[in-house]
Amino acid sequence: MSKGKIVFLNGVTSSGKTSIVDAIQLKSDEFFYVVANDLFENTIGDNYLREDYWKYLSDAIIMMYHTAKLFSDHGKNVLVDGILVERPELKPHYEKVKNIFEGYPFYIVEVFCPLKICRQRNIERGDRTEDQSDWQNKIMAKDIQYDYTVNTHINSSEECADLILKYLSVRSKG
């Protein structure tokens, strides 16, 4: 059985990752499961998150990666909706991710949006602090070797999904 594709959409909050995930699921001829930081954060009780947010979230994020790998092992495609942050609990986060997915059909896609636009989106959403994208950007892993980049300020989520799917199609053909 061949391994399923693992596509990691990396970007700060309100950059457009989840909207792209939704668009890929609508547009793709191939089925993709989704694992996301937000979903795995919900596996942790609030009292533990209040006690030591990053300790428990970091454990859940690493388990999310292993879950994506398990889907791939069973021939299933996976979209990872996340952010590679360099916190002491995860360091070196990017290196850990590369090691976990070594030998897998793994692609890291940068979901870029200017921070000014992310701030506006945070305000409009109402469930994020205005500066949340800014502080995430400050702790985001540096020197990531992206396979592909999309810009949600220039392109709609649907256009970004089309670009990613086209890229994956070309990569799959060799």
Side-chain angles (χ1 to χ4, degrees):
M1 173 184 312
S2 62
K3 295 182 188 308
K5 295 179 196 89
I6 302 168
V7 181
F8 193 121
L9 301 177
N10 185 54
V12 298
T13 193
S14 295
S15 61
K17 299 179 305 288
T18 304
S19 296
I20 293 171
V21 163
D22 292 343
I24 288 174
Q25 286 189 309
L26 283 172
K27 291 173 163 282
S28 180
D29 293 335
E30 297 181 281
F31 181 80
F32 283 86
Y33 286 92
V34 177
V35 296
N37 284 10
D38 292 344
L39 296 172
F40 275 71
E41 182 178 342
N42 289 333
T43 67
I44 307 164
D46 287 340
N47 58 323
Y48 293 105
L49 289 173
R50 281 190 297 276
E51 176 187 316
D52 195 341
Y53 179 83
W54 282 106
K55 175 192 181 296
Y56 292 106
L57 182 63
S58 298
D59 289 344
I61 287 171
I62 295 300
M63 294 308 299
M64 176 180 75
Y65 300 148
H66 287 285
T67 301
K69 192 172 160 181
L70 181 63
F71 276 103
S72 178
D73 284 338
H74 289 273
K76 308 299 182 191
N77 298 317
V78 184
L79 298 168
V80 179
D81 179 343
I83 179 172
L84 292 168
V85 295
E86 288 299 343
R87 290 274 313 169
E89 300 84 354
L90 284 165
K91 277 188 174 178
H93 192 171
Y94 176 50
E95 292 301 317
K96 286 181 180 180
V97 167
K98 288 193 312 188
N99 290 334
I100 289 169
F101 295 121
E102 187 174 350
Y104 283 74
F106 176 63
Y107 308 93
I108 299 180
V109 176
E110 178 184 25
V111 179
F112 175 79
C113 183
L115 291 175
K116 177 181 173 183
I117 304 302
C118 290
R119 276 192 295 279
Q120 185 58 42
R121 291 176 181 175
N122 288 337
I123 293 167
E124 290 167 5
R125 288 174 70 162
D127 64 347
R128 304 282 191 267
T129 62
E130 180 180 347
D131 66 342
Q132 191 166 342
S133 304
D134 295 281
W135 67 256
Q136 285 181 353
N137 185 61
K138 289 177 183 164
I139 63 173
M140 185 181 277
K142 307 298 181 227
D143 301 319
I144 297 170
Q145 295 175 341
Y146 288 106
D147 295 292
Y148 198 71
T149 298
V150 293
N151 184 329
T152 62
H153 179 58
I154 295 172
N155 299 104
S156 70
S157 300
E158 292 75 18
E159 291 166 333
C160 289
D162 287 337
L163 291 167
I164 293 167
L165 291 169
K166 182 177 179 183
Y167 170 80
L168 292 173
S169 175
V170 169
R171 288 296 305 259
S172 295
K173 293 176 183 171

